[in-house]
Amino acid sequence: MSASAPNEPAAESGPPDDHGGGLFRSALKPGVRRREVWAWAMYDFANSGYTTVVITTVFSTYFVGVVAAGRPWGTLAFTMALSLSYLAIMLSMPALGARADARAGKRRLLFSSTVGCVAATALLALVGPSDIALALVLLALSNYCYCVGESVVAAFLPEIARPDALGRVSGWGWGFGYFGGMLTLGLSLGLVGWASNRGAEAHQYVPYVMLLTAFMFSLSAIPSFLFLRERSAPSNRPAQGWLKRLAGAWRETGEHFTDFRLLLVCGAFYHAGISVVVTLAAVYANQAMGFTMAQTMVLVFTVNIAAAAGALTFGHFQDRVGHKRALTITLWGWIAMVLVAYSAVQVWVFWIAATLAGLCMGTSQSAGRAMVGGLAPSRRLAEFYSLWTFATQLAAVVGPLCYGLVTWVTDGNHRLALLITGLFFVGGLVVLARLDFARGARVRDTVSM
């Protein structure tokens, strides 16, 4: 499909009134309509159901407790399958992103990854007790496709938002996305409650939850493919192999984009901690706090409400006070959350920690995506966002794997594993202190790659 030059109004932009109120006029680039922003945010709405139900809540608990029958290595096996999918993303995504930039093909890559994730999620309905290999293969495949889509849709952010509004527009997407996760989780909770009241066991109702999740993902993603436009011109850079592109991108960031590289390292640290919360919150609630599956689903529902509130409100704050200061505040919030959760013996204290986790999750994920948009060259958006994906997926390998190893070595000490997770947020703060965002933005505008 054709693409207009970056930062130029599209021919069909229409009159300024098409953008609606002043809130949108001040945040969106010329030619971007409210319908397109809604379509972009709808993808966050669509894919959040997958992470909330499959990775965080239902399937993670189902695998550890039913498929693996509560064996000590269950959590480690689950995290290793995810880690393998993250490793595949780390190796392949920079080349996929560069290829999408070269051909102005972000939409095509987004569509193919969505089909893959929906299909693999639906196939998880076939997993029953002791189907360990099938469960791990489908989990890794669905998560790989999810990560590709998440990276590609983020690369549209700098095309629709003005540079001084990246935080708030990113927050709109994340906040709207959490509502999508809550919708799918709420429907799943209703299904689980209905089935449980009729005496059904987990292996009987979880397959229907997987089918429901796949359906909601596919339905909610439709607006993204109808209305989201490709605006960046093709970079026409020659295609390279996975490892060669990855090595070249790392070398280029070190030579020309040092602050972007610092952001990558910072993101790798703090996302390692976030990945533990996203991947293992349900397992921790079940194993350390004794929550049932229904209680855990209500817990995650509450976390998503807090995350949506954080993402929707924090973006405006981020644009006012600056990206670096905003991210620093939210990382301190993560450290406080870990300490509260570690000390929680009573259930109400754990609920406080969960609410803090939700607030910090919405703010830190939104802030990181906006910061990448502020430092990425306009013709290499998919590639630079794929480098961010590399960093966050490296974190997704290291964080949950460290958590799983600690629980394995300590014979199931989930509290100690969570406390060690706090060190990742400390590392993120240390690296962030060295980052100069204004300098990185100047380099973005002056260096031609």
Side-chain angles (χ1 to χ4, degrees):
M1 58 186 298
S2 62
S4 58
N7 301 324
E8 291 183 0
E12 77 212 47
S13 59
D17 289 343
D18 283 348
H19 296 301
L23 177 67
F24 284 95
R25 280 199 299 270
S26 64
L28 306 182
K29 285 187 172 180
V32 179
R33 301 186 180 190
R34 289 183 296 172
R35 180 181 66 182
E36 187 172 359
V37 179
W38 169 73
W40 175 76
M42 276 300 295
Y43 197 85
D44 280 340
F45 185 95
N47 70 5
S48 291
Y50 169 81
T51 54
T52 304
V53 175
V54 176
I55 304 298
T56 304
T57 313
V58 177
F59 194 78
S60 58
T61 306
Y62 175 67
F63 178 84
V64 173
V66 177
V67 180
R71 296 181 180 93
W73 46 262
T75 300
L76 181 59
F78 184 83
T79 55
M80 286 185 67
L82 291 177
S83 296
L84 287 175
S85 69
Y86 295 138
L87 178 61
I89 280 290
M90 290 163 54
L91 295 175
S92 63
M93 197 62 223
L96 291 175
R99 186 175 303 170
D101 283 332
R103 303 173 181 177
K106 295 194 296 293
R107 274 182 44 141
R108 291 190 293 271
L109 183 56
L110 184 65
F111 179 78
S112 60
S113 65
T114 301
V115 172
C117 186
V118 168
T121 302
L123 288 173
L124 284 173
L126 301 176
V127 174
S130 301
D131 291 333
I132 296 171
L134 178 63
L136 295 178
V137 169
L138 290 175
L139 176 68
L141 178 60
S142 64
N143 192 60
Y144 175 86
C145 293
Y146 161 81
C147 292
V148 173
E150 183 184 41
S151 176
V152 176
V153 79
F156 284 93
L157 173 62
E159 294 184 0
I160 62 178
R162 296 180 185 271
D164 60 350
L166 289 168
R168 80 189 79 158
V169 178
S170 179
W172 294 344
W174 276 111
F176 199 46
Y178 285 118
F179 286 112
M182 284 187 282
L183 175 60
T184 304
L185 181 62
L187 294 173
S188 300
L189 180 60
L191 177 58
V192 169
W194 178 85
S196 298
N197 290 336
R198 282 157 179 76
E201 297 182 358
H203 71 275
Q204 295 173 308
Y205 59 73
V206 166
Y208 293 101
V209 174
M210 296 300 102
L211 292 175
L212 173 64
T213 303
F215 172 75
M216 291 300 297
F217 193 161
S218 60
L219 180 66
S220 302
I222 290 175
S224 303
F225 304 114
L226 292 178
F227 304 121
L228 191 58
R229 296 185 53 212
E230 188 102 28
R231 282 182 163 78
S232 294
S235 68
N236 296 317
R237 292 169 63 88
Q240 293 178 305
W242 289 7
L243 294 179
K244 186 175 182 180
R245 181 62 256 155
L246 179 59
W250 180 253
R251 183 175 60 253
E252 289 170 1
T253 58
E255 293 175 354
H256 303 287
F257 301 96
T258 55
D259 289 291
F260 182 78
R261 178 184 280 194
L262 286 172
L263 179 61
L264 295 180
V265 176
C266 172
F269 269 107
Y270 79 78
H271 270 273
I274 294 176
S275 295
V276 170
V277 177
V278 171
T279 306
L280 298 166
V283 174
Y284 184 90
N286 177 259
Q287 298 294 319
M289 301 301 298
F291 278 36
T292 65
M293 180 175 288
Q295 289 174 319
T296 301
M297 293 173 75
V298 174
L299 175 74
V300 174
F301 196 90
T302 303
V303 169
N304 274 265
I305 294 175
L312 289 171
T313 58
F314 195 79
H316 298 268
F317 175 76
Q318 180 180 351
D319 289 334
R320 286 200 304 269
V321 305
H323 297 289
K324 179 177 177 178
R325 183 178 299 175
L327 185 56
T328 299
I329 293 172
T330 195
L331 291 183
W332 277 112
W334 273 116
I335 294 171
M337 184 283 300
V338 169
L339 295 176
V340 173
Y342 172 75
S343 62
V345 176
Q346 296 174 305
V347 172
W348 68 269
V349 178
F350 184 70
W351 277 93
I352 293 176
T355 303
L356 278 173
L359 289 170
C360 293
M361 191 179 303
T363 57
S364 55
Q365 290 178 323
S366 175
R369 182 164 69 177
M371 291 181 76
V372 174
L375 298 178
S378 61
R379 286 182 177 242
R380 299 179 66 183
L381 294 176
E383 182 180 4
F384 270 61
Y385 270 99
S386 71
L387 293 175
W388 177 249
T389 298
F390 176 93
T392 58
Q393 301 320 314
L394 173 62
V397 172
V398 174
L401 193 58
C402 286
Y403 186 101
L405 286 172
V406 172
T407 58
W408 183 46
V409 170
T410 61
D411 196 25
N413 191 336
H414 288 265
R415 292 185 183 276
L416 179 61
L418 182 63
L419 184 63
I420 291 175
T421 297
L423 296 177
F424 291 121
F425 299 115
V426 175
L429 278 172
V430 172
V431 177
L432 183 61
R434 299 175 53 197
L435 189 150
D436 187 331
F437 190 85
R439 179 180 61 193
R442 289 194 299 270
V443 170
R444 172 206 65 199
D445 294 331
T446 57
V447 175
S448 175
M449 297 294 293

